[in-house]
Amino acid sequence: MAKELSFNDYAIVSCGTLAPELNYLKKEGFLDAKQIVYTTPGRHEVLKELESQLIQKINTAKQQSRKIIIVYGGKFCYVNVDNPYRTIDAIIQEQGTGISISRTNATHCMDMLAGEREREEISEGKKVWWLTPGWVIYRDYVFQDWDKGKANENFPQHTGGAILLDGIDFWDKYCQEHPEKVLEFSDWMGIEIRPHKVTLDRLKNIFLDCVISDLEKELSELKSRLPAHSAKPSMVQQLEQIEEKLEKAKKPGWES
C-alpha cells in the first residue's frame, strides 16, 4: 500500500530500550522521522541521569524539527518519590516552549508492544516479569547495580516466569547467536524466559495517535485565526491540507 502519512517533519526522542523496535520500524519505512535520538537504556532507576539526558536529547531534537515525539511511558518510566509532582510530562512540557511536543500514550515500554488486556491474556493471570528485546540486549544498563541478592528478591516471586514480547523476530536469532548469554541471564533471574510473538501494530498506532493529536491542535489553532469573512487563499489551502492529513491519519487499517 502506498504511504499516505509521513513522520518526516518530526524528530523523535526515545528511551534506548526501545531502539530495536524503532530501528525496525525505520528500516521498514514506517518511521521516516528526520532524526531519532536515544537516551541510555534503563535510566528509570537513575532519575537525575534520566532527566538530564532527556533534556539534552530534546534540545538536540529541537535543532532538527519543531515537532517532537517523546517515546517514554508516563506511569512507570519516571517515578520521583521525593517530588510526586515532578513527572516526566512536567519535564517534557518545560522543554516545549515554541514547539509541538508530545509523549507516547503508554505506561511503559511493554505497554507500547502489548496493552494491559493483551498482557493479561498472554500471562493467563499469572504473575509475570515482562521483557522486551532491549531489556535483554541492554541488560547491564537496565539492571545496573543489581546483584544476585536483589535479583533473588524480585524475580522468583513471578511464578509465571519471564515473558519477552517479541515484535521483531529477535529471540530465536539471539538464542542461536548467544546461547550462553541466554542461559546465564535466565539463571541469574532464577526463572524461565519465554518469548511471545506480537506485532508492532500497537506501537504504530501509538505513534499515529501523536500525529493525530498534533494535527487536531494545529487545525483548531488555524480555525481560531480564520477571519469571519474573506479568509486568505493560503490559509484556506493550509486548512484543507491539514484536514486531508487528519483524515488519512484516522483512516482504519492505515499502513506503510
Side-chain angles (χ1 to χ4, degrees), residues 5 7 30 204-213 249 254:
L5 190 68
F7 296 87
F30 174 84
K204 288 182 177 181
N205 285 329
I206 286 173
F207 273 109
L208 288 174
D209 285 344
C210 289
V211 175
I212 289 170
S213 178
W254 184 93

Side-chain angles (χ1 to χ4, degrees), residues 226-233 235-236:
L226 281 174
H229 305 285
S230 302
K232 293 181 179 179
M235 293 186 73
V236 174

Side-chain angles (χ1 to χ4, degrees), residues 12 73 112 119 147 151 155 158 190:
I12 293 171
M112 295 185 201
R119 296 198 308 275
D147 56 17
F155 299 126
H158 294 80

Side-chain angles (χ1 to χ4, degrees), residues 1-61:
M1 181 179 293
K3 191 159 196 181
E4 296 183 356
L5 190 68
S6 174
F7 296 87
N8 61 13
D9 54 350
Y10 279 88
I12 293 171
V13 177
S14 173
C15 174
T17 308
L18 273 171
E21 286 78 11
L22 266 60
N23 288 334
Y24 185 94
L25 292 180
K26 179 180 178 180
K27 185 177 180 180
E28 72 168 12
F30 174 84
L31 204 56
D32 57 342
K34 281 187 175 181
Q35 183 182 43
I36 304 176
V37 292
Y38 297 102
T39 58
T40 301
R43 298 302 85 189
H44 55 277
E45 292 194 357
V46 193
L47 293 188
K48 286 187 177 180
E49 187 177 346
L50 190 159
E51 182 171 343
S52 174
Q53 286 198 27
L54 186 57
I55 293 171
Q56 178 187 1
K57 298 303 181 182
I58 290 174
N59 286 331
T60 298

